Amino acid sequence: MSTELWPSLLEPRLHGADELCAVSADGVRIRFQDGRELLCGASGLWNANLGYGNEAIARACADALRDASYLSVFRYENVYARRAARALVEAAGADHYGRVVFSTSGGAANDLVMKLARHYHALRGDGTRKLVVGLRDSYHGLTFGGFALTGENLGQSVYGVDQRLVRHVTPNAGDEIAQLAAQQGSRVAAVVVEPVLGSGAVPLTPEYVRTLLELRDRHGFLLVADEVATGFGRTGDFFASQRWPAPPDLLITSKGLTNGTHAAAAVLMPQALAEPFDAAGDVFVHGETQAGTPVTCAAILATVEEMRRLDAVASARRLSALLDKALEDLVATESLVSTTTGVGCFRSIRLRTPEGDPLPQREVPEVVAAIRKAGAVVHPSVNGVQILPALIYTDDELTELLDCVRLGVRTHARDRAGLGSAAGAV
């Protein structure tokens, strides 16, 4: 057993387990060290939207590594980054967006956004705007800025994360954000929201989005769409915020940006947000060594091109319609499935106990393990599991995924009942 590696968010007792050590991946399947090949029901970490091993992306990365190796956007530019920035602006909408700052992860990009918003207001003579508002139960990463903004309780106090300039409000509660804006709107630099909250796959309602847009116009804060998870076709549009009545001021993209092949993120904004910096000749103090490198930007360009070639957004909508029916059937036929949430190919399956209570969160890893034993990789959610199929899934693969979920849920229920009987016998 190999124990040198300390993996992320995995119980220490599971470190070194061959059944959790991936060896290779192709299409929508992952091979593990114990010899099993499993269907990936999570698109990696929601980032391999086009599946594993895309040849066009691999070739683009290989060419960039040979031709340019490493070039930075730290006090310099490179042509790969220029091309990738232009491609992202066009994909998101050149009628609104005009500038791109590259980063290396969703968490780092959230840090970047918090800094940028505060600097922007300071340049406009409004330096008291320091507060950043997020949503409860949101996820914005685990870097110190993103961790502070994350609305889940993941031990922020243990790590000494500074949340003094962060506020959290209940998602889809318009009155609550309106009250906060009325009381402290002149101090708010930005409101950062996921169009679909990542942890529980909870979409923002159209009414709530309209409230956010109205409050932005009234109080002058920047509205940020954290599309780390929802971008690149995941919800049935290239970016989920493209369905909003008006665009956000800043858009963060990461996971699907390179189809999961590189540590990459990008922040898109209108040219107007850069104008105070340009007018003052002021430098935005943010830089990351691996941001905007040739190989990363080659992957971005190839991913955007492959999204178009494969008509991935249309595929996402087709899969979404199939998921609607399949999940409706799952709720109707499985007594331990209470409901499902989410939109597009971004779904959560909520479970309950035989007594009708929400499945205890401590049991969710056991359900994930049971589904893995049944043949599919999924990730935990609130009182259940998330499924995020790749946008290239076939109908048969989607059926296979749901069959594995059914079997895993039933297996966990049977094991749970057996443990309960054994405990009662003792």
Side-chain angles (χ1 to χ4, degrees):
M1 177 182 288
S2 174
T3 58
E4 292 81 8
L5 174 65
W6 191 330
S8 302
L9 302 182
L10 190 65
E11 294 177 61
R13 66 182 178 85
L14 297 174
H15 292 190
D18 282 350
E19 67 188 58
L20 299 175
C21 181
V23 174
S24 61
D26 182 64
V28 295
R29 299 189 186 272
I30 308 172
R31 286 174 286 280
F32 286 83
Q33 186 71 42
D34 65 353
R36 298 190 72 204
E37 181 176 271
L38 305 181
L39 177 67
C40 179
S43 298
L45 274 177
W46 317 325
N47 53 359
N49 292 355
L50 304 179
Y52 301 107
N54 181 285
E55 286 291 341
I57 298 172
R59 285 195 302 272
C61 293
D63 290 344
L65 283 170
R66 281 191 299 269
D67 296 343
S69 182
Y70 174 82
L71 300 171
S72 79
V73 290
F74 200 107
R75 299 194 179 97
Y76 284 87
E77 298 185 16
N78 69 72
V79 293
Y80 293 86
R82 285 183 173 181
R83 293 169 190 155
R86 185 177 301 115
L88 288 173
V89 164
E90 290 172 354
D95 56 333
H96 177 69
Y97 298 101
R99 300 294 291 272
V100 176
V101 182
F102 285 110
S103 180
T104 54
S105 72
N110 272 280
D111 287 15
L112 186 163
V113 158
M114 295 169 78
K115 292 162 60 179
L116 183 66
R118 289 165 177 159
H119 196 162
Y120 167 80
H121 289 297
L123 286 174
R124 299 174 76 242
D126 207 354
T128 59
R129 288 187 182 267
K130 301 291 187 186
L131 295 181
V132 179
V133 180
L135 302 179
R136 295 190 181 95
D137 300 319
S138 62
Y139 184 83
H140 299 284
L142 298 176
T143 55
F144 260 56
F147 203 3
L149 189 57
T150 289
E152 287 187 80
N153 181 4
L154 296 176
Q156 284 91 330
S157 61
V158 174
Y159 298 106
V161 174
D162 189 350
Q163 295 183 299
R164 288 174 295 178
L165 293 176
V166 173
R167 303 288 184 270
H168 289 102
V169 294
T170 304
N172 292 326
D175 291 347
E176 191 173 330
I177 183 69
Q179 183 178 5
L180 175 65
Q183 294 172 345
Q184 302 189 65
S186 63
R187 298 179 58 217
V188 175
V191 174
V192 184
V193 299
E194 300 165 282
V196 180
L197 273 73
S199 298
V202 177
L204 298 185
T205 65
E207 295 78 14
Y208 192 68
V209 171
R210 283 195 294 271
T211 296
L212 292 174
L213 293 167
E214 291 167 3
L215 292 172
R216 171 190 68 175
D217 294 342
R218 189 184 314 161
H219 295 281
F221 56 75
L222 300 181
L223 180 58
V224 183
D226 180 344
E227 297 226 38
V228 167
T230 55
F232 280 74
R234 176 56 54 188
T235 65
D237 290 280
F238 207 103
F239 292 106
S241 59
Q242 288 173 325
R243 289 208 175 189
W244 290 5
D249 298 294
L250 295 160
L251 185 155
I252 305 172
T253 181
S254 180
K255 287 185 180 292
L257 181 62
T258 67
N259 199 45
T261 61
H262 293 277
V267 177
L268 285 68
M269 71 197 79
Q271 177 62 35
L273 260 72
E275 287 175 358
F277 294 87
D278 296 342
D282 220 6
V283 173
F284 174 48
V285 185
H286 188 89
E288 301 170 47
T289 303
Q290 297 301 130
T293 62
V295 65
T296 296
C297 291
I300 293 170
L301 283 164
T303 300
V304 171
E305 290 168 2
E306 284 294 276
M307 287 283 295
R308 293 187 176 123
R309 184 184 71 83
L310 296 169
D311 204 2
V313 171
S315 294
R317 291 175 179 168
R318 183 187 66 81
L319 284 170
S320 177
L322 293 174
L323 270 170
D324 288 342
K325 296 177 181 178
L327 293 174
E328 182 180 348
D329 179 67
L330 189 71
V331 173
T333 58
E334 296 295 329
S335 61
L336 299 181
V337 177
S338 58
T339 189
T340 64
T341 63
V343 64
C345 295
F346 192 161
R347 305 296 180 107
S348 171
I349 298 170
R350 305 293 176 94
L351 305 175
R352 59 189 167 204
T353 66
E355 296 75 30
D357 299 318
L359 184 75
Q361 201 64 32
R362 66 179 180 277
E363 295 186 31
V364 170
E366 298 169 10
V367 178
V368 171
I371 294 171
R372 184 171 63 247
K373 187 174 181 180
V377 174
V378 298
H379 280 278
S381 185
V382 178
N383 308 121
V385 299
Q386 288 190 330
I387 58 170
L388 296 97
L391 309 186
I392 62 168
Y393 254 46
T394 64
D395 294 12
D396 288 344
E397 287 161 346
L398 192 61
T399 298
E400 181 184 349
L401 175 60
L402 270 295
D403 286 345
C404 290
V405 171
R406 283 181 188 272
L407 180 56
V409 169
R410 291 175 181 177
T411 299
H412 173 71
R414 191 164 54 245
D415 292 347
R416 193 176 192 270
L419 290 172
S421 298
V426 173

